[in-house]
Amino acid sequence: MPPLLLEPRRARHQSTLLDHADLCQTPLYHSVVQHFQHLLGPAFGSVSDAAEPAACPNRSLLAFTGTIRLSLNTSQTQHVHIADTATGTLAAVCHGANNARSPQWAPDGRRLAFLSDCAKSGVYQVYVVDITDPSSPGKPEAIASLHGTAEAVTWSPDGSLLLVRVAELDADQAGALGSGTTGTTESKSSSWMPAWAVDPSTHSVKCVGEPDMNIWEVTWMGDEQLIAVVSPTPDEDAWYNAHLTALDLNSGKRRTLYAGSKQLGKPVASPSGRAAAVIEAVASDRGGIAGQVLLLDPTLRKLDMNGADITDLYWARESHLSFIGLRNGRTVAGHYCLESGTVEEHWNSSLTCGPMLPEAAVTHKGSFVVVSEGWEQPPALCEVHNGNERIIASFAHLGTDWLQSRIGTAERTTWRSTDGLEVDGILCKPVGREEPHPLVLNVHGGPVWAFRNLWQMRSPIVALLVARGYAVLSANPRGSVGRGPAYIDSVIGDMGGGDSQDLIAGIDSMVACRIADPTRLGVMGVSYGGYMAAWLPTLDRRFAAAVPIAAVTNWTSYHATSNIGLFDELFFRASPYDTRGPYGKRSPVMHPSRNHAPTLHIAGALDRCVPPSQAIEHHRALLDAGAESALIVYPQEGHGVRQFPAYLDFSCRVAGWFEHHMAA
C-alpha cells in the first residue's frame, strides 16, 4: 500500500518527483531498488542475520534466531537454527509458516523451547523440539494454547516447567520495538501481561501472580520462586515506575525486593536461587536498559563493572555473574566473581553485537557467544574467550561484499561541546569523494540510547546515503549510554538543551575540520532523534534539509496522546500544563519560521508512541510560516518505517529529499 501523501499546500517550492504518492516509475526509485537488490538479493532464501543466541548447557551447540528474506517485496522472517560450534554447520528447526524466535535450552541440553506464530500470524505460542541429533532436529510440539501472544519463555532450573510471559493481543508494544500492538486487535478486554507456568509433559498451565499485577519481565529464582519486574497496572506508562518482586510459584504470594526511582530490567537469579541481580538505569524505552547492576545477596548492593553501562546479565555459574555492556564506545563482556568482588573481562572490542543493545550467551565453559558486527564487518556468530574471537558462522555474502566496496570508512570521533563536555559519535565517510562532503547529522532515539559500530549502523538508509556520496555523523550527545550514569542523567530536566548544543558543536567540528561543507548540512533521526531533526533547525539556520521521523513536535499534545505520557514528565521534570515551562519552550511547533530548513516529515499511522498527529502539527506550522514542508504517513507502519516494500519508498524519499536540497 503506498504512503498517504498529505500536502495541503507548499511554499517556496517547485514540484519535484517527491510530490508523487507513487514513486515506482521514477529513476531515483529504480536506483534505490537496485541498491537493495545488489545488497540483499544474493542472500534471498538463506540466513543473512542472527540474534538471540542461546548456549546449550552441556554440549557445544548454539541456538539462535536467524533472519531470512525472500524478496524485496516481502519483509524478513525469523527462524530458529542450531549451530555446531565445532564445525560451524547450521540446521534449521522446521516449524511451519511465519516466524519462530527466542530459543531456550532445557537444562538437560536435549530439548529446546521457542516461540512461533505458525498457527496464526502475529500470535505466538510455545513449542518444544527434541535436539538429540543436532543435524536433524525433531518435529516441534505445541505445548499449550495460551490466551494472548507469548513474549518470552524460560525453563525452570530442574527442567520440569516452562515459564511463559504472555501479552494480550491489544497490549502496546514498546516504542523501541515499533509501537503498535503485540498481535492482532481482536481482543479488547484488557492489555495485561500475565505469566504462566506450563508443564511440557502434561500441557497443564497455571497462572502466576495476582490479578492486580502486570509482569514486564520474569525469570526463575530456584525451582519454586520467581523474580519479576512488575507494576500494578498494565499501561505502558506503568513500566517507568515498575519494581522488583519475588513471587512464590505455589502460593502466588509476592514480596517487594526493590523499588527505586529509576527503571529496572533484565532480572536474573543464581542457579540455586540464593542470589539475584537486576539492571537499574534511567531508561527512555522499555526493552532498552543500560546502567548499573544491583545485587541482592541477600542485602542490596551496587556492583562496579569496571565503569561499563550493563545491557544484559546471565547467571550460568553460582559463583559468577556474567554481563555485557558498553564503555566509551566499546563493547565489554565478562564475569563478576561474587567471592572476590573482581571483574574478569573476556571481550573489549570496537565491534559490537545485538540489534538494539549488546546481548550475548554464556557457554558452560564460561565463554561468550555473540553475533559480532561492525560498519565494515557483516554479522557473524562468534565465540569469545579471554579476548580471543573465533567465528563460528559468518553471514557475509556477495551482497555484503558489494556494499563494503561502496560505503567507505567509519571511525569514532570526539569533540567538545559548548560547556567543554567531550561528546562522541561515529563518522561514516564515502569512498572516492573529495572533502568537504555534504553531511547528514544522524540523531538517535531515546534520548537514552547510543549509536554503536554496527553493520550499516543497523539503519540501511545510512549506508545508502554514504554510498550516494554523503558523510553521516551518528552522534551520541549527553543522555547516551556507554559513558556512565552521570552522562545519562545530564539530559534529565534538559531535553533539547545541552544535548542540542552537543549536536551543533559536532556540526561545528566537522565544518572546522573541512569534513563537512557548511552549505550542505542536513539532519535526520527517529523518535527522539526525530524531535531533534525538527528542533535543531530552530536553533541553527545552517541546515539545508531536515527529515524528522516519528518525531515529537509538540510536547504538550504529545503528553496527551502518547501511550507513554509519563515519559516526558519524568524527563522534563516539569508539568505539561505549565505555560512558562519547557513543554512550550522546547516544542518545534511553537517556533515556526520561514527560514526553517526544508522539512520532510515521516510518520506511521499505527504509531501509539508518537502519534502521526505530531508530524501533522509541525507540517502545518511550517506551511503557515511560509517554510517548505512535506508530510508522508505510512498506513501500515508504527514507530519508524521497518517493513519492506515500504522501506524502499521511505529510502527513496529520504535520499531524494537530501539530494534535492543538498546534492552530493
Side-chain angles (χ1 to χ4, degrees), residues 127-485:
Y127 291 76
V128 172
V129 61
D130 181 84
I131 311 292
T132 302
D133 180 3
S135 64
S136 181
K139 182 179 179 180
E141 177 187 12
I143 295 304
S145 179
L146 300 171
H147 178 70
T149 181
E151 291 204 328
V153 60
T154 183
W155 292 87
S156 62
D158 64 5
S160 64
L161 294 174
L162 285 164
L163 182 64
V164 187
R165 184 168 56 83
V166 179
E168 294 284 356
L169 296 181
D170 63 335
D172 284 357
Q173 270 192 335
L177 299 176
S179 193
T181 57
T182 54
T184 67
T185 56
E186 294 178 2
S187 170
K188 288 296 181 184
S189 58
S190 70
S191 298
W192 291 88
M193 294 186 184
W196 298 83
V198 181
D199 187 329
S201 60
T202 64
H203 295 199
S204 62
V205 300
K206 177 183 179 180
C207 189
V208 174
E210 300 178 9
D212 62 340
M213 183 173 62
N214 197 70
I215 299 177
W216 300 102
E217 295 181 69
V218 62
T219 192
W220 295 92
M221 190 165 60
D223 291 317
E224 298 181 352
Q225 296 281 327
L226 307 174
I227 182 172
V229 177
V230 305
S231 64
T233 60
D235 47 289
E236 196 71 17
D237 267 351
W239 174 79
Y240 291 94
N241 291 322
H243 54 273
L244 193 66
T245 294
L247 305 173
D248 186 277
L249 187 63
N250 297 317
S251 68
K253 293 183 178 180
R254 59 184 174 183
R255 57 188 175 92
T256 299
L257 298 176
Y258 179 71
S261 60
K262 297 183 178 181
Q263 287 69 57
L264 302 172
K266 307 292 184 179
V268 294
S270 64
S272 69
R274 296 190 184 97
V278 68
I279 299 174
E280 181 185 45
V282 171
S284 44
D285 295 272
R286 179 167 66 92
I289 196 163
Q292 309 304 297
V293 178
L294 300 181
L295 177 69
L296 293 86
D297 183 29
T299 58
L300 183 72
R301 58 191 171 103
K302 186 175 294 185
L303 304 183
D304 180 8
M305 301 300 199
N306 287 355
D309 288 339
I310 305 305
T311 58
D312 213 350
L313 294 171
Y314 323 89
W315 216 317
R317 292 181 289 168
E318 188 73 23
S319 61
H320 287 75
L321 174 62
S322 304
F323 66 89
I324 192 167
L326 294 169
R327 184 176 62 228
N328 295 328
R330 299 179 69 84
T331 305
V332 294
H335 309 291
Y336 180 88
C337 179
L338 272 67
E339 294 180 359
S340 65
T342 58
V343 174
E344 304 170 359
E345 283 195 6
H346 285 252
W347 200 37
N348 184 326
S349 178
S350 61
L351 300 175
T352 192
C353 58
M356 293 178 62
L357 287 171
E359 64 179 19
V362 181
T363 72
H364 61 285
K365 298 178 181 179
S367 59
F368 289 83
V369 176
V370 298
V371 182
S372 175
E373 61 182 289
W375 178 257
E376 298 177 52
Q377 177 185 304
L381 197 61
C382 294
E383 184 174 14
V384 182
H385 188 70
N386 288 331
N388 298 313
E389 301 176 27
R390 181 177 69 88
I391 292 180
I392 299 169
S394 173
F395 303 110
H397 50 80
L398 291 177
T400 59
D401 293 345
W402 175 85
L403 186 64
Q404 283 176 303
S405 67
R406 287 163 171 79
I407 57 174
T409 60
E411 59 183 25
R412 184 172 182 263
T413 184
T414 61
W415 61 90
R416 293 287 175 180
S417 189
T418 52
D419 60 359
L421 181 69
E422 184 179 81
V423 185
D424 71 89
I426 298 176
L427 175 64
C428 302
K429 295 192 293 186
V431 64
R433 304 285 184 124
E434 291 186 4
E435 296 180 349
H437 305 292
L439 182 133
V440 175
L441 175 64
N442 186 26
V443 189
H444 65 65
V448 183
W449 209 260
F451 282 122
R452 299 173 287 140
N453 181 24
L454 290 161
W455 172 246
Q456 297 190 82
M457 296 301 294
R458 283 287 165 179
S459 179
I461 186 62
V462 174
L464 175 67
L465 290 173
V466 175
R468 297 179 76 88
Y470 291 85
V472 177
L473 176 63
S474 298
N476 290 320
R478 66 192 72 193
S480 302
V481 302
R483 298 277 300 276

Side-chain angles (χ1 to χ4, degrees), residues 425-633:
I426 298 176
L427 175 64
C428 302
K429 295 192 293 186
V431 64
R433 304 285 184 124
E434 291 186 4
E435 296 180 349
H437 305 292
L439 182 133
V440 175
L441 175 64
N442 186 26
V443 189
H444 65 65
V448 183
W449 209 260
F451 282 122
R452 299 173 287 140
N453 181 24
L454 290 161
W455 172 246
Q456 297 190 82
M457 296 301 294
R458 283 287 165 179
S459 179
I461 186 62
V462 174
L464 175 67
L465 290 173
V466 175
R468 297 179 76 88
Y470 291 85
V472 177
L473 176 63
S474 298
N476 290 320
R478 66 192 72 193
S480 302
V481 302
R483 298 277 300 276
Y487 196 78
I488 294 175
D489 292 348
S490 60
V491 78
I492 303 299
D494 192 37
M495 292 194 299
D499 52 356
S500 295
Q501 298 307 312
D502 297 344
L503 295 168
I504 292 173
I507 290 286
D508 292 338
S509 174
M510 296 299 104
V511 171
C513 295
R514 292 191 54 78
I515 292 171
D517 180 346
T519 67
R520 294 182 294 168
L521 300 174
V523 59
M524 69 178 184
V526 182
S527 192
Y528 188 80
Y531 160 65
M532 281 296 182
W535 175 241
L536 290 178
T538 71
L539 305 177
D540 192 322
R541 300 302 183 191
R542 289 177 296 175
F543 290 104
V547 182
I549 305 158
V552 178
T553 66
N554 183 337
W555 284 108
T556 300
S557 62
Y558 166 81
H559 174 82
T561 57
S562 170
N563 66 349
I564 54 170
L566 182 59
F567 152 75
D568 50 86
E569 281 192 271
L570 292 174
F571 274 72
F572 268 136
R573 288 183 177 171
S575 167
Y577 308 108
D578 180 359
T579 57
R580 296 170 296 178
Y583 277 77
K585 293 179 180 178
R586 299 279 171 88
S587 290
V589 75
M590 298 300 180
H591 304 274
S593 168
R594 183 178 183 85
N595 297 318
H596 192 282
T599 301
L600 172 64
H601 300 87
I602 295 177
L606 305 181
D607 193 349
R608 295 187 179 187
C609 181
V610 181
S613 56
Q614 289 291 304
I616 295 171
E617 284 191 48
H618 194 233
H619 173 59
R620 179 59 185 260
L622 291 183
L623 291 176
D624 286 348
E628 181 181 337
S629 178
L631 171 62
I632 306 295
V633 179

